[in-house]
Amino acid sequence: GRTTRKFRLVHASVGLTGYGCPPEMIRLAASVYPNQVREMDEDGNLPLHIAAVASSFLPTPPPSSSTATGTEEGLPSTISDDDSILSTISGLSTTTSTTLPSPNPFNTIIRMLLRIYPAAVRIPHGTTGRLPLAMAIEGRKRTMDDGIRALLESHPAALESMAIDPKLYPRILAVVGEPKETKKV
């Protein structure tokens, strides 16, 4: 028979992060529907599971100027009014001078979800049994700076649920402990 699907604003908002849904929208949804952060949908997803594997369709910052071709005077025109509006609306811009959205929007959302419901990082997916960290690594949608570091810092033992050679653990944990490079734009 057909399963009736319940609409969950928190789940839907998290799923739209990759389309520019602002963190403030997700924060608002979680404050209006706090139980949804702890609720699995019909597919077995907590909002954190969705954030771990959702695709991102946001524009990425242009490559560094050392690899850029063309003249410097042409660079300002590469940032369109649409990009500026998206950045303003989404609230995802960083403290740098760029007007493009943050290249790591899921990091913000994953950290927010972990603050609201820290235990979610230890809860396996309802149908696959995979932990959020394993889902993020295996799904190849997140990077270290776009959520994997946050998941790993919150629950390093999740590595044990994956088929990773234990000899690699020190290197993986060393990468997590490295200070993040700050890029000047």
Side-chain angles (χ1 to χ4, degrees), residues 156-177:
L159 287 175
E160 295 173 15
S161 74
M162 301 179 63
I164 295 176
D165 184 342
K167 290 182 226 152
L168 294 176
Y169 287 3
R171 176 67 190 130
I172 293 168
L173 295 174
V175 167
V176 172

Side-chain angles (χ1 to χ4, degrees), residues 79-151:
I79 298 174
S80 69
D81 288 344
D82 289 342
D83 291 334
S84 180
I85 291 167
L86 177 64
S87 177
T88 303
I89 291 172
S90 69
L92 294 174
S93 61
T94 60
T95 56
T96 61
S97 61
T98 180
T99 57
L100 289 173
S102 164
N104 304 319
F106 285 96
N107 186 54
T108 303
I109 301 311
I110 287 171
R111 287 186 186 279
M112 177 194 313
L113 292 169
L114 288 170
R115 275 192 306 275
I116 296 169
Y117 186 36
V121 76
R122 292 175 171 80
I123 298 175
H125 185 273
T127 57
T128 67
R130 307 301 287 151
L131 290 171
L133 176 63
M135 292 173 68
I137 292 171
E138 293 164 0
R140 298 188 176 272
K141 300 276 198 265
R142 300 286 70 79
T143 62
M144 279 302 281
D145 293 331
D146 196 24
I148 290 179
R149 182 182 314 273
L151 292 168

Side-chain angles (χ1 to χ4, degrees), residues 10-24:
V10 175
H11 294 65
S13 302
V14 169
L16 292 174
T17 299
Y19 293 91
C21 183
E24 294 79 13

Side-chain angles (χ1 to χ4, degrees), residues 49-91:
H49 297 136
I50 294 169
V53 298
S55 295
S56 182
F57 300 97
L58 294 172
T60 55
S64 65
S65 58
S66 62
T67 60
T69 57
T71 60
E72 289 297 317
E73 62 194 47
L75 289 178
S77 66
T78 62
I79 298 174
S80 69
D81 288 344
D82 289 342
D83 291 334
S84 180
I85 291 167
L86 177 64
S87 177
T88 303
I89 291 172
S90 69

